[in-house]
Amino acid sequence: MTLWKMRIDDEIATLTHSQVGTDSGGLAIGLELIGNPGLSKKNPLERHYRDVLCSRIHTPQNDAICLSLGKSALKITT
């Protein structure tokens, strides 16, 4: 893998990791403010919240992202 390709992959992984955390936190606060009506299927926030929660389990997962970024920072190739 070329150096520029590795940098792009690391940047995308970092953005994915931070964006999922930011989105889930923001939506959780919004749902907390709305209360129980926010969990109704009629409320658009409910669907957005489920989508963000599901994104945590789709590839790449946070542990794999952190491991990859750590190896890249330490220049470990295995």
Side-chain angles (χ1 to χ4, degrees):
M1 182 181 298
T2 62
L3 182 60
W4 69 268
K5 174 71 171 142
M6 195 177 333
R7 284 186 185 154
I8 291 172
D9 289 345
D10 286 350
E11 289 175 9
I12 291 170
T14 304
L15 287 172
T16 300
H17 184 273
S18 65
Q19 193 62 44
V20 168
T22 302
D23 290 348
S24 63
L27 283 167
I29 291 170
L31 288 173
E32 193 175 321
L33 291 171
I34 294 172
N36 284 342
L39 297 176
S40 168
K41 289 235 180 211
K42 294 177 183 177
N43 191 320
L45 281 181
E46 184 269 343
R47 181 65 199 177
H48 293 304
Y49 190 59
R50 282 192 294 136
D51 289 346
V52 168
L53 291 178
C54 288
S55 68
R56 290 180 178 176
I57 61 169
H58 291 288
T59 306
Q61 295 171 341
N62 287 345
D63 60 334
I65 291 171
C66 291
L67 181 63
S68 174
L69 292 173
K71 284 182 176 182
S72 178
L74 297 172
K75 301 194 184 341
I76 298 173
T77 58
T78 57

